[in-house]
Amino acid sequence: MILKRSASYSLLFLASFLSLFPLFWTISTSIKDRVDSYSLPPKFFTFTPTLKNYTSLFSLEKFWQIYSNSIIITLGSTLICLAVGSLAAYALARKPKFRGRTPLEGLMIAIRALPAIVLLLPIYKLSSYLDLYDSKLGLILIFAGFNIPFAIWLMMSFFEQIPVEIEESARVDGASTFKMFTRIILPLAAPGLVATGIFVSLLSWNEFLIPVIMAGENSKTLPVLVASFISNRTLDWGPMAAAATVALIPIVLLTVVIQRWLVAGLSSGAVKE
Amino acid sequence: MITKVSRPNLLRRKNLRPVAHLTIPTWIFLALVVLIPFFYGIYISFLNINLASFLPPSFVGFDNYQTVLAASETWSTLRITLIITLIGLLMQIPIGILLALVLHENLRGTKIFRSILITPMLLTPVAVGLTYRFMFDTDLGVINWALGSIGIEKVNWLGSQTSALFAIIIVDSWQSIPFVMLLVLAALTAISSSLYEAARVDGATASQIFRRITLPLITPTLLVITMIKIMDFLKLFDTLFILTRGGPGNATTTLGLWTYKTGFVFLEFSRAAALGVIITIITLPVYFLWRRASKGVR
């Protein structure tokens, strides 16, 4: 015990307040009218809530298109990450040494280590040849590529928890590798797959630099829309806060669901070999 | 109907394990987003591509590197990256350790506190940046209001270099401290409690225990965190882009943001690619130190 109990609690309460206040402030600004959001001293609770900011946000031309882009790209890239990543994670978890393991892990780590801009410059140039600029499919593939390493690291830790003996007995009963993987391993790792899926979809949902470079009018995502609010000189905080809230709420809901696995996800790739 | 057949070949562990071909799909994706772009980026850096020009690109050797290394912006943005990194680390690591220590005491409600404290790192950075921009507003922001109520004069947070850098570091710290806290917490959990008991029996004080037992044992983790954070500061983009766009002027532009601006604002694509190669070279030693340090952790 470094601190007295009361000091520990004060610190925890202070840190919790600081952690949650910006979230509270965004949400509360999103349901204030203009006068209330600009009033000083700030109105924390004493205001009449309004949905005006949301109606003006939702009536924005293209809002629903952008929102559905975000959902499609997030879901598409997450499914690819799970399908592609689970196979690799299984191999990496079960076989300590095979040809190509070291370079594969090197590439995975390169994604974690390098600033994305370094890779996105050439990707931008290449995508014009492949006609993947401003296409949802293009974004799905790029998002998936950037997130696969995280999916693999996370799933590896789940596969490692499944005893090898289970596979051995299945193999004795004559199951093929593929059958064993789909019928035995995946069902056993199902909670882990769900957690990985949610974690990876958070990464995609939050991603900004990739769509800012790779998306035009057709494939814009929510973070790009949220960011576009600051470029207008007339700063109107209400709709802006509403847009931020629309981006943040799904995250808050999802993280409550995966609370148990979150810690593993957030530190994945940091100390793994 | 039980027939016992011995199948020695199948029982050999080697055959029971999955094989490398399961990684082929991953190889394809990583080739598309890392391997090919990486080498193509190096190739681009030796051409003279300007996105606004319609002339066919030609090979210019090391010209872009010469231009970029001679440009004062390269060095000033590198300096700003280093300042943010240094001050950021000095803020985030001690606070992260402190919070991890408090969580490690396993007081009542620790789980709930932990969930609350990690929330910031999950939130969309762009939305976070926007919120803070509102909170940092000079006249109407809640931060200046709170400072005013304890007698501190209004700060034009995003208007001058020093305060804008500070604001950027505060927002990054808000999102990054939970990461430091989680990794330190994992390291603390791995320390055997018998060590603490023995120390206490010997009459060691709390601060002695921290300095002599805890700190040395979490040092490998702290090294890992430091290396990852250095790489993350080089990557810093979203919140920076929203808060200041690197301004006023280039006063808060980091090397990563400068690369983006060079390529996509000034359209000097090949020069940006050269900057990308330079960033990669800067990242390499950090990367190797990280891998080395991470072996010491587990």
Side-chain angles (χ1 to χ4, degrees):
Chain A
M1 271 246 186
I2 304 268
L3 298 166
K4 289 214 178 76
R5 178 164 298 215
S6 58
S8 297
Y9 272 117
S10 335
L11 195 66
L12 286 173
F13 276 110
L14 176 69
S16 302
F17 169 75
L18 293 175
S19 300
L20 292 183
F21 181 78
L23 190 60
F24 161 77
W25 200 234
T26 314
I27 297 170
S28 93
T29 305
S30 79
I31 51 170
K32 280 178 195 162
D33 66 24
R34 222 183 147 90
V35 178
D36 282 334
S37 65
Y38 285 98
S39 80
L40 274 177
K43 293 189 172 170
F44 293 101
F45 298 105
T46 52
F47 59 90
T48 324
T50 167
L51 289 177
K52 242 170 37 190
N53 297 319
Y54 287 93
T55 38
S56 79
L57 174 71
F58 296 158
S59 66
L60 273 185
E61 197 196 351
K62 293 209 161 172
F63 172 81
W64 292 109
Q65 193 209 319
I66 292 170
Y67 199 73
S68 72
N69 283 350
S70 255
I71 291 175
I72 292 169
I73 293 167
T74 299
L75 286 180
S77 61
T78 303
L79 287 177
I80 293 178
C81 279
L82 288 178
V84 171
S86 63
L87 292 169
Y90 182 54
L92 290 169
R94 281 291 187 256
K95 200 155 180 168
K97 271 193 185 133
F98 58 80
R99 258 177 85 117
R101 184 184 173 121
T102 313
L104 183 74
E105 288 186 313
L107 287 183
M108 286 162 59
I109 295 162
I111 288 187
R112 177 70 181 83
L114 277 181
I117 182 73
V118 173
L119 300 169
L120 284 170
L121 275 160
I123 290 176
Y124 171 82
K125 197 81 187 125
L126 285 169
S127 71
S128 55
Y129 299 123
L130 300 169
D131 208 20
L132 284 175
Y133 174 75
D134 193 17
S135 97
K136 270 171 262 184
L137 178 66
L139 282 176
I140 288 175
L141 295 176
I142 298 169
F143 274 51
F146 274 93
N147 290 340
I148 279 173
F150 297 93
I152 293 178
W153 281 317
L154 203 46
M155 282 190 277
M156 265 172 78
S157 63
F158 292 111
F159 289 146
E160 277 160 3
Q161 287 163 18
I162 299 172
V164 190
E165 287 71 26
I166 293 179
E167 289 165 45
E168 283 167 357
S169 57
R171 187 52 76 92
V172 172
D173 293 341
S176 68
T177 304
F178 185 73
K179 212 171 179 182
M180 192 169 69
F181 181 68
T182 51
R183 298 278 172 80
I184 295 169
I185 300 297
L186 286 185
L188 282 173
L193 293 185
V194 173
T196 306
I198 293 178
F199 184 71
V200 170
S201 55
L202 278 185
L203 294 177
S204 295
W205 184 259
N206 287 344
E207 179 58 48
F208 176 59
L209 185 55
I210 299 174
V212 110
I213 288 176
M214 298 297 304
E217 282 308 306
N218 288 321
S219 53
K220 235 192 228 174
T221 61
L222 209 49
V224 181
L225 174 78
V226 173
S228 71
F229 274 97
I230 47 156
S231 39
N232 342 350
R233 276 290 100 192
T234 51
L235 288 178
D236 193 355
W237 293 106
M240 205 184 288
T245 306
V246 167
L248 295 176
I249 289 299
I251 302 176
V252 176
L253 295 179
L254 282 178
T255 50
V256 173
V257 179
I258 55 158
Q259 203 52 247
R260 261 180 68 199
W261 298 285
L262 213 50
V263 175
L266 294 175
S267 41
S268 71
V271 290
K272 268 261 147 39
E273 276 306 290
Chain B
M1 285 287 279
I2 303 165
T3 48
K4 275 200 172 177
V5 188
S6 83
R7 289 188 225 170
N9 283 338
L10 278 176
L11 277 173
R12 274 206 321 219
R13 280 205 158 207
K14 222 166 138 192
N15 290 340
L16 292 168
R17 301 227 170 130
V19 268
H21 66 247
L22 295 178
T23 62
I24 291 171
T26 301
W27 267 108
I28 295 172
F29 272 93
L30 295 186
L32 285 176
V33 299
V34 195
L35 210 53
I36 298 171
F38 181 73
F39 289 107
Y40 190 60
I42 296 177
Y43 170 68
I44 289 176
S45 74
F46 291 109
L47 302 176
N48 59 352
I49 301 176
N50 180 307
L51 290 184
S53 136
F54 291 99
L55 297 172
S58 59
F59 187 75
V60 295
F62 282 92
D63 277 13
N64 293 312
Y65 290 91
Q66 271 172 357
T67 316
V68 157
L69 289 175
S72 64
E73 286 93 343
T74 309
W75 300 102
S76 66
T77 55
L78 179 63
R79 206 180 114 243
I80 288 161
T81 315
L82 290 175
I83 293 173
I84 294 181
T85 306
L86 198 68
I87 302 178
L89 282 172
L90 288 175
M91 265 176 76
Q92 295 170 10
I93 292 190
I95 299 178
I97 294 176
L98 185 64
L99 291 174
L101 284 171
V102 174
L103 286 181
H104 190 59
E105 283 176 23
N106 271 322
L107 299 169
R108 218 169 220 273
T110 290
K111 273 193 179 162
I112 297 166
F113 282 118
R114 197 185 66 186
S115 308
I116 292 173
L117 296 187
I118 56 181
T119 310
M121 73 184 288
L122 303 163
L123 302 179
T124 317
V126 171
V128 168
L130 213 59
T131 301
Y132 269 96
R133 213 176 135 150
F134 181 39
M135 296 190 348
F136 276 125
D137 191 276
T138 313
D139 296 315
L140 304 163
V142 69
I143 292 175
N144 270 354
W145 170 79
L147 291 176
S149 67
I150 52 168
I152 297 171
E153 264 183 60
K154 275 181 186 171
V155 181
N156 182 4
W157 282 101
L158 304 175
S160 80
Q161 185 177 35
T162 317
S163 58
L165 284 176
F166 207 62
I168 290 161
I169 294 167
I170 289 175
V171 177
D172 182 73
S173 301
W174 187 76
Q175 286 215 285
S176 302
I177 287 173
F179 174 74
V180 178
M181 179 189 84
L182 281 181
L183 287 188
V184 174
L185 189 59
L188 290 176
T189 315
I191 300 174
S192 154
S193 58
S194 61
L195 277 174
Y196 291 119
E197 278 155 28
R200 237 169 270 136
V201 170
D202 291 345
T205 64
S207 84
Q208 277 175 329
I209 292 179
F210 177 72
R211 274 183 294 123
R212 301 275 171 79
I213 299 177
T214 314
L215 205 53
L217 285 171
I218 62 172
T219 301
T221 302
L222 295 182
L223 281 175
V224 169
I225 295 171
T226 306
M227 298 307 146
I228 293 180
K229 279 307 302 174
I230 292 175
M231 295 186 297
D232 283 353
F233 279 117
L234 268 167
K235 287 175 151 189
L236 186 67
F237 187 85
D238 301 11
T239 48
L240 179 60
F241 190 82
I242 301 297
L243 282 172
T244 66
R245 286 220 176 175
N250 272 329
T252 58
T253 304
T254 60
L255 193 54
L257 184 57
W258 180 243
T259 307
Y260 170 84
K261 282 185 176 174
T262 306
F264 292 101
V265 179
F266 307 121
L267 307 176
E268 290 288 356
F269 212 70
S270 283
R271 274 182 212 163
L275 281 169
V277 173
I278 291 170
I279 292 181
T280 310
I281 294 168
I282 296 175
T283 312
L284 274 177
V286 185
Y287 165 84
F288 284 117
L289 286 173
W290 165 38
R291 298 322 292 168
R292 248 187 118 165
S294 106
K295 276 186 188 137
V297 172
R298 236 160 261 188

